[in-house]
Amino acid sequence: MTSMLAGPALGQQRPRRPDAAPERPSAEAESRASEAANATALPATTANLGIVRSVVVRGTERLEPETVRSYLNLSIGDRYDRDGLDAALKALFASELFADATIRDDAGALTVEVKENPVINRIIIEGAKRIKEDKIREEIRLAPRQIFTRSKARADLGRILELYRRGGRFAAAVEPKIVQLEQNRVDVVFEISEGDKSKIRQINILGNEKYSEGDIRKQMASKQSRTWRFFTSNDTYDPDRLAYDQQKLRQYYLTQGYADFRVVSSVAELTPDKKDFIVTYVIEEGARYKFGKVDLESQIRDIKPAEFRPLIRIKTGDWYNAQLIENTVEGLSETAGLLGYAFADVRPQFERDKEKLEMNVTFQIGEVPRVYVERVQINGNTITHDKVIRREFRLTEGDAFNSIKVKRTKDRLLGLGYFQDKLDIEQKPGSTPDKIILETNVQERPTGELQVSAGFSSLERFILSLSVRQRNFRGRGQELRASANISSFSRSIEAGFTEPYLGGRNLALGFDVFRRDFRSFRFTGNNSRDTTYTQVSTGFQVRTGFSITEFWAASLRYGLSREEIGLDQATFFTNGVCDPLKAGRFLCEQLGNRTVSTIGYSIIFNSLNNVRLPSQGQRFTFSQDLAGVPIGIKFLTTRANYDYFTPLFGTGFVLNVGGEAGYATGYGGQDVILANRFFLGQPQFRGFNIRGVGPRVLRRSLDSAGVPIADRRQALDDSLGGRAYYLGRVEVRIPIGSAGAELGLRPSIFADVGALWSLRAPNLTCQNAPTRPAPIVAGQTTPCLATDGVSSGFVEEFLGNTPRPRVTVGIGVNWNSPFGPFRFDLAKALLTQPGDDPQLFQFNVGTAF
């Protein structure tokens, strides 16, 4: 293997098949070629000095001699000199067809000796680990079956190095080599030494007087390399990011009043060890200005300066802020767009008063015609039908342009989840000045999901999940889904279908069928679990929904199911009858099969900018379900849910304030049974165990002295649920840079507050059984004698039935890992009530968050 960078540059030509035998001319053939050349050669006479008498070509393999002669620009009978021969030789090398070439002159008899460039057999890449080989091959222009040239090899080397430099690896080195093969073929090998990423060791600021270097560095996207910055890539050297930092610096100073600020120079120097960079900025801050006179002028008849002047939030005497200027221009443009002026020309005119250090600003709105939508054009949808996209548009052909409706259309299209976030609705001039074309450019994302996952959670232990879902079935916006889940305490199988626009109308119709097998459990000693009752639900639901206004919608539903509640007879029965001493009287009373027939409705308000990961907007839902129509058990459930999202500080932080509440009541002389009550705890109420809040019965064993054992881990804990609850939350989503986003990490801090209550005191096990004296315990207690005459018996307590708030605070992390979604929460319960079951750390794998 030899290096390929020495020697003259060679060219490229489509070769013969590389596995074909070389066509090296024989001595006889060369003799015939020479004779043919001499047949037309001029005689060697004094009169022919300086004239080409003959041209003989030797050494060709794939090329014809005439091809070589065509590059010489010398024919028999032409006059030539030394400069002409040099030019002919340069023309041969410039063709990049030859590895070597010489011209011998014998009194006008020219002999051209050439060595053709080899054919590439294959391209080999060695040492590439940090960048995928496929991405490197995209940068290589050499290819098998092409003629190898050193100039193209050098160009490929430069492109590979540039690829590594864009990734921050300035220490990368590439050595191209060739392996000689038979038949004038070669293997081209690029040996890559990737090296470490080049970091920014230090950022120096020169010329700053008003702000410290630390304050200025905080405004930059680039960061100095430090050991704790392992979640970000902003400490790697990137020339494009440095250019962006200059804009950030200028933006920062312009928002602080320094209208004359400029970056004098920006220099990045490689450290002596060639591993890191030292970046130095030289800046000139200038004087600080305040706003002077602020005025508005309009050439549009419908825009009166006196009426629009309140939209300008700038006040005379405030420090100059370029961001306020941009916000005002944007606000005036959007307001003009509401009136149908899509291309409103709002220009701020500045007048500096350097003596008073004031900036006078006049916003001028130029005259433009009111525009109407001429055409809605959709590009990029290969699967989704046009009508699915068009029905989300708030504007149609012929409507007056409205910028707010365009923005709402974009939010609705993104909310479908069918397209990438780079969706754009461009406003282009139409056929006349008063017409506009709305060109929608979409990039479709996969909408089909096939998920097979296994996991472990602190709630349900082992989890196995299989689900198939298509959110854009046949490109018509229909949803088709089926799923099966198995865990240590639950099993379910479900299927459903939704048509969002039935018959092209604003009416959704869907149905679901399901079978859910849930095994409730209680914690016993040493945090182990004991299955209590089983609940099997089999049924279906039919639902429909429709929009009332742009943001309000309503839905109706009817469901019918069979609820079967049972207990393990081998564990909780005695002589074929449920034993209250083993199961508890409150569980024995719940056994049986029941029919649940419910009709319900929901009222929904939704202005979220993104359904999957909202950062702005509100969502409110009010629902009621009435059971017992026309058959089955009778109860009414009412629920309300509200969420508010807004960005904070303009730096990627997102605040979520939300709450929910519910109430269930029986009617017709019936109460709400255990299976239809509310339960509260993990994962909705972080900081508590599953069903760790609300009414419950604790069964504590008595020691030999008749005193209940205080250790809760040795008590049997039965959560009974409640008929009323509330839950509030405040959460701040924290940005952690591009590296964290690429990993799918979303950390947050939160606080939760809630309660579950409104349950009538249950019939405890020993209310009518023989008892013996026992210490009074908080809550309702009934001590029971042991039935075997050996153990000391137990005492039951009814606890947690109070609306008093429970409060938790903590931090959490969502991780969309390659193995499925993870959720980690570390939450501390600050305020609890007797009977509550706090839990500090919780995690879930393979479940939705």
Side-chain angles (χ1 to χ4, degrees):
M1 188 156 52
T2 58
S3 176
M4 63 174 73
L5 295 184
L10 304 180
Q12 172 182 341
Q13 172 177 310
R14 185 180 301 277
R16 295 175 184 269
R17 291 178 53 190
D19 55 351
E23 300 177 3
R24 185 174 300 277
S26 64
E28 182 181 355
E30 288 191 0
S31 177
R32 287 199 303 269
S34 178
E35 289 175 359
N38 290 331
T40 57
L42 297 177
T45 63
T46 305
N48 292 332
L49 290 177
I51 297 177
V52 178
R53 296 187 298 110
S54 65
V55 179
V56 177
V57 178
R58 292 195 176 97
T60 56
E61 296 181 3
R62 297 179 302 274
L63 301 176
E64 296 294 335
E66 282 303 321
T67 302
V68 179
R69 293 190 185 100
S70 67
Y71 285 101
L72 296 175
N73 292 323
L74 291 174
S75 302
I76 295 175
D78 290 347
R79 289 192 172 274
Y80 75 97
D81 55 15
R82 178 57 57 187
D83 292 338
L85 294 180
D86 289 343
L89 191 60
K90 289 179 180 179
L92 289 176
F93 284 124
S95 70
E96 294 194 336
L97 296 174
F98 309 104
D100 195 11
T102 60
I103 300 177
R104 293 200 307 270
D105 178 16
D106 184 10
L110 304 182
T111 302
V112 182
E113 292 277 357
V114 297
K115 181 181 179 183
E116 295 181 8
N117 268 331
V119 173
I120 299 172
N121 179 52
R122 57 177 177 162
I123 306 293
I124 301 172
I125 298 173
E126 296 180 353
K129 296 179 181 178
R130 301 298 180 180
I131 297 181
K132 292 182 179 180
E133 187 174 316
D134 292 343
K135 289 189 67 94
I136 297 176
R137 289 190 180 275
E138 291 176 0
E139 303 295 327
I140 297 175
R141 300 295 179 263
L142 292 175
R145 301 178 66 85
Q146 289 184 358
I147 293 178
F148 169 79
T149 66
R150 288 185 175 87
S151 61
K152 285 188 174 293
R154 291 190 187 97
D156 287 344
L157 182 149
R159 280 189 287 269
I160 295 173
L161 286 177
E162 180 61 27
L163 180 64
Y164 273 93
R165 286 170 183 164
R166 288 200 300 267
R169 298 183 183 276
F170 284 80
V174 181
E175 184 178 359
K177 296 182 177 180
I178 57 175
V179 179
Q180 296 287 349
L181 304 175
E182 59 182 5
Q183 299 181 354
N184 198 23
R185 296 178 301 153
V186 293
D187 285 342
V188 180
V189 182
F190 290 96
E191 293 184 352
I192 302 174
S193 175
E194 297 181 314
D196 295 328
K197 278 193 173 184
S198 300
K199 302 285 188 177
I200 300 176
R201 185 174 298 181
Q202 188 173 341
I203 298 177
N204 298 321
I205 311 294
L206 302 179
N208 57 307
E209 297 177 358
K210 306 299 182 181
Y211 299 99
S212 67
E213 288 191 30
D215 291 337
I216 295 175
R217 290 194 196 103
K218 289 178 182 178
Q219 311 307 317
M220 299 180 178
S222 299
K223 303 297 180 184
Q224 296 181 130
S225 177
R226 297 295 183 265
T227 55
W228 63 81
R229 290 195 172 114
F230 51 86
F231 269 135
T232 179
S233 60
N234 287 353
D235 58 351
T236 59
Y237 176 74
D238 184 347
D240 294 335
R241 194 187 299 124
L242 294 185
Y244 175 67
D245 285 337
Q246 294 187 46
Q247 299 178 13
K248 293 281 287 182
L249 286 178
R250 178 172 172 76
Q251 181 183 16
Y252 174 65
Y253 271 91
L254 289 179
T255 58
Q256 303 300 316
Y258 296 91
D260 296 327
F261 172 84
R262 69 189 186 98
V263 179
V264 179
S265 65
S266 172
V267 179
E269 298 176 300
L270 197 61
T271 56
D273 58 9
K274 297 184 179 181
K275 291 184 178 180
D276 299 326
F277 281 86
I278 297 176
V279 181
T280 302
Y281 292 94
V282 179
I283 64 175
E284 186 178 295
E285 293 177 323
R288 193 177 189 189
Y289 287 78
K290 290 185 176 181
F291 281 113
K293 181 182 178 182
V294 181
D295 201 0
L296 173 65
E297 298 177 357
S298 173
Q299 298 178 2
I300 298 178
R301 182 183 58 185
D302 295 336
I303 298 180
K304 309 296 183 183
E307 297 176 357
F308 277 68
R309 199 166 281 119
L311 296 175
I312 302 176
R313 306 291 182 175
I314 301 172
K315 296 181 180 180
T316 300
D318 289 348
W319 290 112
Y320 173 78
N321 188 329
Q323 186 62 51
L324 289 178
I325 300 290
E326 291 184 13
N327 293 344
T328 302
V329 171
E330 183 178 349
L332 292 172
S333 299
E334 287 187 357
T335 305
L338 283 172
L339 300 176
Y341 298 95
F343 304 109
D345 183 18
V346 182
R347 296 185 181 182
Q349 301 296 324
F350 301 96
E351 181 185 349
R352 280 181 174 84
D353 189 335
K354 294 189 176 181
E355 293 183 359
K356 296 181 179 180
L357 294 180
E358 289 183 347
M359 184 74 72
N360 300 319
V361 184
T362 301
F363 294 94
Q364 297 180 346
I365 304 178
E367 184 176 4
V368 292
R370 177 175 290 179
V371 297
Y372 298 85
V373 179
E374 178 180 6
R375 186 170 72 253
V376 174
Q377 186 170 319
I378 301 171
N379 303 322
N381 55 317
T382 58
I383 298 176
T384 308
H385 294 192
D386 272 13
K387 68 176 183 180
V388 174
I389 299 175
R390 288 182 179 276
R391 66 195 183 196
E392 302 300 330
F393 265 78
R394 304 298 95 182
L395 290 170
T396 59
E397 284 84 352
D399 288 349
F401 176 82
N402 188 308
S403 57
I404 299 299
K405 290 185 177 181
V406 172
K407 184 178 183 299
R408 177 58 181 165
T409 297
K410 181 177 179 180
D411 291 343
R412 289 179 65 92
L413 289 175
L414 289 174
L416 293 175
Y418 305 161
F419 311 110
Q420 303 288 352
D421 294 338
K422 293 182 179 180
L423 184 146
D424 188 29
I425 301 178
E426 296 185 28
Q427 303 165 21
K428 294 188 174 182
S431 57
T432 59
D434 64 342
K435 293 183 179 179
I436 187 173
I437 298 173
L438 299 180
E439 183 175 292
T440 306
N441 299 300
V442 300
Q443 296 180 22
E444 291 182 312
R445 68 166 72 231
T447 55
E449 301 171 7
L450 172 61
Q451 182 177 1
V452 179
S453 61
F456 186 87
S457 79
S458 56
L459 278 73
E460 299 186 78
R461 304 292 169 85
F462 174 74
I463 300 171
L464 179 64
S465 173
L466 170 64
S467 64
V468 179
R469 184 186 181 196
Q470 175 53 262
R471 293 179 289 111
N472 189 14
F473 185 56
R474 298 187 299 171
R476 299 184 177 183
Q478 301 166 335
E479 180 176 328
L480 182 66
R481 61 183 178 85
S483 65
N485 296 276
I486 300 175
S487 73
S488 299
F489 290 91
S490 66
R491 291 174 175 82
S492 68
I493 182 169
E494 302 182 27
F497 175 80
T498 302
E499 168 55 68
Y501 282 80
L502 185 64
R505 300 178 179 179
N506 186 20
L507 180 67
L509 180 66
F511 68 88
D512 302 287
V513 293
F514 58 86
R515 178 180 174 86
R516 306 184 185 108
D517 183 353
F518 175 74
R519 287 185 283 172
S520 180
F521 60 86
R522 58 188 176 188
F523 289 95
T524 61
N526 299 322
N527 204 33
S528 60
R529 303 187 186 196
D530 177 23
T531 300
T532 53
Y533 69 91
T534 61
Q535 177 187 352
V536 178
S537 299
T538 305
F540 69 90
Q541 184 183 76
V542 179
R543 45 193 163 73
T544 183
F546 53 91
S547 297
I548 301 174
T549 66
E550 178 61 28
F551 298 104
W552 287 94
S555 66
L556 301 173
R557 57 190 168 272
Y558 173 77
L560 180 65
S561 64
R562 182 70 171 172
E563 306 284 347
E564 304 173 11
I565 300 177
L567 289 169
D568 183 9
Q569 295 190 11
T571 305
F572 298 102
F573 279 52
T574 300
N575 297 325
V577 179
C578 180
D579 189 342
L581 292 178
K582 295 180 179 180
R585 187 184 302 276
F586 44 87
L587 286 182
C588 290
E589 293 174 351
Q590 299 294 323
L591 299 183
N593 299 334
R594 299 170 178 87
T595 299
V596 180
S597 174
T598 61
I599 184 171
Y601 72 93
S602 295
I603 302 295
I604 304 127
F605 174 84
N606 190 345
S607 64
L608 298 181
N609 63 340
N610 191 310
V611 177
R612 295 178 297 109
L613 192 62
S615 60
Q616 192 168 15
Q618 304 176 69
R619 177 176 55 205
F620 170 75
T621 304
F622 179 82
S623 304
Q624 284 191 308
D625 290 278
L626 181 65
V629 180
I631 58 175
I633 57 177
K634 300 179 179 181
F635 64 89
L636 173 67
T637 300
T638 303
R639 301 185 71 166
N641 190 306
Y642 175 76
D643 275 294
Y644 172 76
F645 295 87
T646 184
L648 290 180
F649 318 122
T651 55
F653 290 86
V654 177
L655 171 67
N656 170 217
V657 179
E660 59 181 281
Y663 183 75
T665 182
Y667 67 95
Q670 298 186 21
D671 197 4
V672 183
I673 65 172
L674 180 69
N676 300 120
R677 297 171 188 163
F678 300 115
F679 291 89
L680 198 58
Q682 184 189 167
Q684 311 102 302
F685 202 163
R686 293 159 292 193
F688 289 97
N689 215 326
I690 182 173
R691 289 167 289 178
V693 174
R696 63 207 324 102
V697 171
L698 286 180
R699 179 182 290 194
R700 301 180 186 271
S701 298
L702 303 177
D703 60 17
S704 58
V707 178
I709 298 175
D711 188 355
R712 179 165 181 155
R713 292 175 298 178
Q714 299 185 35
L716 297 180
D717 185 349
D718 285 307
S719 176
L720 304 182
R723 296 189 303 142
Y725 84 99
Y726 65 86
L727 178 63
R729 58 189 169 273
V730 177
E731 186 166 4
V732 177
R733 198 161 65 227
I734 303 172
I736 56 174
S738 58
E742 290 173 2
L743 292 173
L745 293 173
R746 297 197 311 273
S748 62
I749 57 175
F750 59 83
D752 293 343
V753 57
L756 176 69
W757 78 102
S758 189
L759 185 67
R760 296 185 182 91
N763 294 322
L764 298 182
T765 303
C766 296
Q767 279 186 314
N768 300 316
T771 63
R772 65 179 179 182
I776 300 299
V777 184
Q780 180 179 345
T781 64
T782 305
C784 292
L785 292 172
T787 58
D788 56 9
V790 178
S791 59
S792 301
F794 59 87
V795 63
E796 287 183 341
E797 306 171 77
F798 177 54
L799 302 170
N801 189 31
T802 173
R804 294 176 180 174
R806 287 80 159 170
V807 179
T808 64
V809 296
I811 58 175
V813 177
N814 280 326
W815 179 30
N816 290 330
S817 76
F819 312 103
F822 283 64
R823 171 77 193 193
F824 304 88
D825 287 307
L826 185 66
K828 173 66 175 176
L830 301 181
L831 183 60
T832 62
Q833 302 298 330
D836 292 345
D837 186 10
Q839 186 177 60
L840 181 65
F841 177 74
Q842 299 149 6
F843 73 95
N844 289 283
V845 181
T847 56
F849 312 135

